[in-house]
Amino acid sequence: AQAYGNHVGRGKTVLVSRDGRPSGWLLGHAVTAGLLAVGCRVRDLGVAPTPTVGVAVRTRGADGAVQITASHNPAP
């Protein structure tokens, strides 16, 4: 997350979202911490489908997003 935040740029807005897996909450906090550490502004979208996050970047005027998902893998 820090590397991505450095790429996006200090002071830029990054949206963070996740799928409904229990681990997403913890991973979301880790991603948020990394982004904040390099000076990004973070907006948490909570649980949202991946395509929705892409739309949210445009409609909210964000500079980027991180979607935490492993929906292609079984839950365990």
Side-chain angles (χ1 to χ4, degrees):
Q2 286 181 323
Y4 179 64
N6 279 322
H7 175 74
V8 173
R10 184 175 209 51
K12 301 294 183 172
T13 300
V14 179
L15 308 178
V16 176
S17 184
R18 63 189 187 279
D19 65 15
R21 293 169 190 267
S23 59
W25 181 83
L26 179 63
L27 293 170
H29 283 288
V31 167
T32 297
L35 292 167
L36 290 172
V38 296
C40 291
R41 291 180 295 176
V42 177
R43 301 292 177 254
D44 185 5
L45 297 179
V47 176
T50 302
T52 301
V53 179
V55 172
V57 168
R58 290 188 298 277
T59 61
R60 294 181 180 214
D63 300 292
V66 175
Q67 172 68 2
I68 301 163
T69 183
S71 60
H72 58 285
N73 293 323

